[in-house]
Amino acid sequence: QLLQEQDTLNQLLAKARRELQEQGQAHVQATLELQSAAEEGGREAARQRERAKALASEVSQLKARLEEAQAEAEAKDAAARVDLEKVKETSMQFVKKAVESKKALQQLNEEKDALV
């Protein structure tokens, strides 16, 4: 009976060892899978950081181009205002000369009529 109990205990011990070994293998497998997932997550994070840097650079370049275009538009607008003022001034001079010419012609006509 003692041998039978010892044999039963040995069987239970062997079974417990197998279960522990299986659990250990499962634990190792789970650990490897977690490690692999973490590494992939790290690679994905690095890709996202690089993409974010590229987008930030692109935004910065677009912002600089926009500021340059705005400055150019403002310069053109200022030049157009100066040109408009010159046109107004020249037009006013023509109007003044036309009025003076009309007055002079009117005066000549009056003098002519007075002579006749």
Side-chain angles (χ1 to χ4, degrees), residues 2-49:
L2 190 59
L3 288 175
Q4 189 178 11
E5 286 178 9
Q6 187 175 4
D7 189 39
T8 302
L9 286 176
N10 284 338
Q11 289 175 4
L12 289 173
L13 185 58
K15 182 179 178 183
R17 284 184 181 145
R18 280 192 305 275
E19 288 176 3
L20 280 174
Q21 188 175 12
E22 288 171 4
Q23 287 177 358
Q25 288 173 349
H27 177 73
V28 166
Q29 182 64 33
T31 301
L32 291 174
E33 288 173 6
L34 283 173
Q35 183 179 0
S36 177
E39 288 170 356
E40 180 57 34
R43 286 189 292 271
E44 181 61 26
R47 283 192 291 270
Q48 292 296 330
R49 281 192 299 276

Side-chain angles (χ1 to χ4, degrees), residues 6-116:
Q6 187 175 4
D7 189 39
T8 302
L9 286 176
N10 284 338
Q11 289 175 4
L12 289 173
L13 185 58
K15 182 179 178 183
R17 284 184 181 145
R18 280 192 305 275
E19 288 176 3
L20 280 174
Q21 188 175 12
E22 288 171 4
Q23 287 177 358
Q25 288 173 349
H27 177 73
V28 166
Q29 182 64 33
T31 301
L32 291 174
E33 288 173 6
L34 283 173
Q35 183 179 0
S36 177
E39 288 170 356
E40 180 57 34
R43 286 189 292 271
E44 181 61 26
R47 283 192 291 270
Q48 292 296 330
R49 281 192 299 276
E50 288 303 313
R51 180 72 179 134
K53 285 179 189 176
L55 288 173
S57 175
E58 191 174 333
V59 166
S60 178
Q61 290 172 359
L62 288 172
K63 193 175 181 182
R65 279 194 262 164
L66 175 62
E67 289 171 358
E68 186 179 306
Q70 285 175 331
E72 187 177 325
E74 288 171 5
K76 286 181 180 179
D77 185 49
R81 278 193 237 121
V82 168
D83 288 346
L84 181 61
E85 286 299 317
K86 287 179 182 176
V87 168
K88 283 181 184 177
E89 189 177 307
T90 303
S91 295
M92 289 301 292
Q93 288 174 358
F94 281 133
V95 169
K96 284 180 185 177
K97 288 195 187 254
V99 169
E100 289 172 4
S101 296
K102 185 176 181 182
K103 285 182 183 177
L105 183 61
Q106 199 173 25
Q107 187 177 2
L108 286 174
N109 281 334
E110 288 173 4
E111 288 176 8
K112 177 183 145 196
D113 289 343
L115 290 175
V116 173

